[in-house]
Amino acid sequence: MRLRQGQFSFLPDLTDDDIRTQAQYAIDQGWAVSVEYTDDPHPRNSYWEMWGHPMFDNRDAAAVVFEVNECRKEHGSKYIRVLAFDATAGWESIRMSFIVNRPAEEPGFRVVRQEAEGRSIRYTIESYAMREPEGARYA
């Protein structure tokens, strides 16, 4: 199962040149670019681990590609994404997010059903990767 989060998730994996092009677009818009990684890609897990600091004053996308590749060296078996944050008044939010690295095997998610009071049934999703402890999920 291939994780479908962020922009370009239905396309083939992005090359370094594709990443550079998208990062340069974000920089040209005045957005701060950052790199994050996780081994828990649950759709509601919006706070991934940050790699380094956000690149607020960076004007060259080559620095973004460099940071992505450095993150891959240390966390190559995890999900890695690039974010672009727009600090413009009224927006002040993530404007771009895309995955640039995936584990070799993506186990997917399962639906968990829970019976509750009044014959209600609650549903949630759970990653199969969560069966393993943190740090060992995609080893």
Side-chain angles (χ1 to χ4, degrees), residues 11-133:
L11 297 176
D13 290 338
L14 299 177
T15 65
D16 283 357
D17 192 48
D18 295 333
I19 296 166
R20 185 197 56 74
T21 301
Q22 295 305 320
Q24 191 61 55
Y25 173 81
I27 290 167
D28 292 345
Q29 304 308 306
W31 303 339
V33 180
S34 61
V35 178
E36 296 181 343
Y37 64 93
T38 190
D39 64 356
D40 178 16
H42 189 285
R44 294 184 189 245
N45 176 16
S46 57
Y47 298 107
W48 291 21
E49 300 293 327
M50 186 170 283
W51 176 262
H53 298 287
M55 295 175 251
F56 290 104
D57 296 322
N58 178 36
R59 305 295 341 143
D60 185 7
V64 176
V65 175
F66 174 81
E67 291 300 329
V68 165
N69 286 325
E70 290 298 304
C71 188
R72 283 176 175 156
K73 288 178 188 173
E74 191 166 329
H75 302 287
S77 63
K78 298 178 182 175
Y79 291 94
I80 301 173
R81 71 179 175 191
V82 172
L83 299 173
F85 180 82
D86 183 358
T88 305
W91 280 101
E92 299 161 333
S93 183
I94 301 296
R95 294 288 293 261
M96 179 183 284
S97 170
F98 54 93
I99 293 175
V100 296
N101 194 80
R102 299 168 180 276
E105 179 186 339
E106 298 182 79
F109 295 87
R110 69 186 185 117
V111 175
V112 179
R113 183 176 72 187
Q114 177 187 24
E115 294 187 24
E117 62 282 335
R119 297 175 56 150
S120 297
I121 298 177
R122 296 184 179 135
Y123 294 91
T124 188
I125 60 172
E126 181 179 275
S127 171
Y128 287 116
M130 296 303 293
R131 294 178 177 173
E132 300 296 327

